[in-house]
Amino acid sequence: MTNPVIKALGRKLRLGVIGGGPGSFIGIVHRGASTLEEYYEVSAGVLSSNPEKSVEHAREMGIERGYATAQDMILAEANRDDGVDVIAIMTPNNSHYSIACMAADHGFHIMCEKPLTNDLDEAMALVHKIQTSSVECCVAYAYSGYPMVREARAIIEAGELGEVRMVQCDYVQGHLAELTDSEKTNTNWHMDPAMAGPSLILGDIGTHCYHLASFVTGMVPAELSADLASIVPGREADDYTGILTRYKNNARGSFFITQAAAGADHGLYLRVFGSKGGLEWHQEQPNQLLVRRIGQPTQLLQKGGPGLHEAANRVSRIAVGHPEGYREAFANLYTDLAEVIIAQKTGVKENPLARYFPDIQDGAQGVAFVRAAINSHQKNGEWVSLASNA
């Protein structure tokens, strides 16, 4: 099958990566996801905060052009005829804003890790910058890339569950059930609020829950009530939150989110109930979606199987029975972004389903969610309007 990027542009899209060097979990995910469909090639990179190591790591990883700093890469690539088209930002959270601003100012499309920023004013400034430019920005809420998550959204958009009345999204991890060695030696930037933001649990995985629930239902909470805590003795960073939400249509929701549940693996799941039925999706069994309708047998829908909406089918690569997972979901965001960029570069009409990728506004909404939850917690769980924190 002809590669649509090469057919349209005569070449692959060139990707420049900032962050995610050797030993980084998210770095290899981004690089692998971007190249999975062969739409991109990783052409340039900044792979360490140490300038010498950054260049060395690029050479070791087979990346053609290694740079000492993000600024060096953006300025140099902007002046090349064969410069990168897209920049992926995988650095600590407090640097996202400055790098994204510089990338946008030089006309580069952006893939940015979440949270978009640590500060809502910065997030809103980025929204304005992106929306008043020709630059596209995707925020890496990867769970929205799963085919059966997109099927869940399509089911709700089609009105098959009726009016949404209840939303539950839990994310229960166990890898921080004990103090880690990096916490004890203060070498984990995720535990430093100056770098990671004001709340570890909200910024790291809480924003995933918020985005997943909003993405599938098409609704954002009008207000929330939040409790934050450090459950593990000796830990300063938040490792637990419980949040209740209210929606404009009188629907109710809840989030149970922790990284300190001893023995838990990953535990991300979503349940939505409407006036006609409900659905349930577990990320640990991502190729299945449970759908229950009043007076009908429970359906177990399978990725690639019959009866799915086009929103799910277009992001499924292989036939039913062959599982697809986290990296494939991540790749779907890169593919969506590529399709939009191709449409822009060639002047053709884009596929509206490519716009399912989390955009700059989604990123800013995640930052507003963090602010509102912290505000509520500081007021002993008082109900707080998200609009007043946006």
Side-chain angles (χ1 to χ4, degrees), residues 230-343:
S230 300
I231 296 294
V232 176
R235 175 171 293 145
E236 296 184 10
D238 300 330
D239 56 20
Y240 163 87
T241 185
I243 299 175
L244 299 177
T245 56
R246 294 171 177 166
Y247 296 83
K248 288 182 179 179
N249 72 337
N250 200 41
R252 295 296 192 266
S254 67
F255 299 148
F256 166 42
I257 306 167
T258 183
Q259 294 171 316
D265 289 327
H266 197 70
L268 173 63
Y269 79 91
L270 173 73
R271 294 198 292 180
V272 181
F273 295 95
S275 56
K276 299 179 181 179
L279 56 79
E280 184 172 333
W281 178 79
H282 293 252
Q283 198 258 340
E284 291 171 353
Q285 292 84 38
N287 296 287
Q288 300 177 338
L289 178 69
L290 281 170
V291 181
R292 303 180 177 95
R293 296 180 175 89
I294 294 176
Q296 297 183 29
T298 297
Q299 284 185 298
L300 179 62
L301 301 180
Q302 298 272 11
K303 177 209 71 71
L308 302 186
H309 292 78
E310 178 58 23
N313 288 329
R314 72 178 291 274
V315 293
S316 299
R317 290 169 177 78
I318 47 180
V320 63
H322 297 80
E324 297 178 41
Y326 180 68
R327 187 172 293 185
E328 287 85 356
F330 226 112
N332 286 334
L333 302 193
Y334 271 99
T335 299
D336 285 343
L337 181 61
E339 290 189 15
V340 170
I341 292 171
I342 293 166

Side-chain angles (χ1 to χ4, degrees), residues 78-122:
N79 288 307
R80 293 181 65 102
D81 292 335
D82 61 348
V84 298
D85 303 286
V86 182
I87 288 178
I89 302 170
M90 296 165 271
T91 55
N93 305 343
N94 64 326
S95 62
H96 291 178
Y97 175 72
S98 59
I99 297 173
C101 279
M102 190 175 184
D105 286 340
H106 287 81
F108 295 112
H109 302 290
I110 298 165
M111 171 68 76
C112 185
E113 261 303 324
K114 54 80 211 159
L116 180 63
T117 66
N118 288 339
D119 177 82
L120 187 56
D121 290 339
E122 290 182 347

Side-chain angles (χ1 to χ4, degrees), residues 43-281:
S43 302
V46 179
L47 284 308
S48 173
S49 58
N50 179 297
E52 292 77 17
K53 287 184 178 179
S54 177
V55 176
E56 180 182 347
H57 290 332
R59 183 173 58 252
E60 292 170 348
M61 296 165 68
I63 297 174
E64 182 180 353
R65 298 186 293 277
Y67 293 94
T69 68
Q71 182 179 23
D72 288 349
M73 188 183 89
I74 292 171
L75 292 176
E77 292 295 311
N79 288 307
R80 293 181 65 102
D81 292 335
D82 61 348
V84 298
D85 303 286
V86 182
I87 288 178
I89 302 170
M90 296 165 271
T91 55
N93 305 343
N94 64 326
S95 62
H96 291 178
Y97 175 72
S98 59
I99 297 173
C101 279
M102 190 175 184
D105 286 340
H106 287 81
F108 295 112
H109 302 290
I110 298 165
M111 171 68 76
C112 185
E113 261 303 324
K114 54 80 211 159
L116 180 63
T117 66
N118 288 339
D119 177 82
L120 187 56
D121 290 339
E122 290 182 347
M124 297 311 298
L126 265 179
V127 169
H128 177 74
K129 182 180 288 290
I130 297 299
Q131 291 184 342
T132 55
S133 74
S134 60
V135 167
E136 298 289 344
C137 178
C138 177
V139 180
Y141 289 119
Y143 303 113
S144 62
Y146 279 103
M148 300 315 289
V149 168
R150 298 200 175 186
E151 177 65 17
R153 172 170 166 159
I155 287 171
I156 292 173
E157 285 182 339
E160 296 174 35
L161 298 188
E163 182 182 28
V164 173
R165 292 179 173 174
M166 289 176 282
V167 183
Q168 179 187 5
C169 192
D170 293 356
Y171 204 162
V172 183
Q173 297 180 339
H175 68 281
L176 294 181
E178 298 178 317
L179 286 180
T180 64
D181 290 339
S182 60
E183 281 182 272
K184 296 173 184 177
T185 57
N186 294 317
T187 56
N188 187 341
W189 68 262
H190 292 88
M191 299 294 178
D192 181 357
M195 300 180 74
S199 173
L200 168 67
I201 198 68
L202 288 172
D204 196 28
I205 62 174
T207 52
H208 272 306
C209 271
Y210 176 80
H211 179 263
L212 181 61
S214 300
F215 177 83
V216 169
T217 64
M219 306 187 328
V220 296
E223 55 184 355
L224 58 77
S225 170
D227 177 37
L228 291 162
S230 300
I231 296 294
V232 176
R235 175 171 293 145
E236 296 184 10
D238 300 330
D239 56 20
Y240 163 87
T241 185
I243 299 175
L244 299 177
T245 56
R246 294 171 177 166
Y247 296 83
K248 288 182 179 179
N249 72 337
N250 200 41
R252 295 296 192 266
S254 67
F255 299 148
F256 166 42
I257 306 167
T258 183
Q259 294 171 316
D265 289 327
H266 197 70
L268 173 63
Y269 79 91
L270 173 73
R271 294 198 292 180
V272 181
F273 295 95
S275 56
K276 299 179 181 179
L279 56 79
E280 184 172 333
W281 178 79

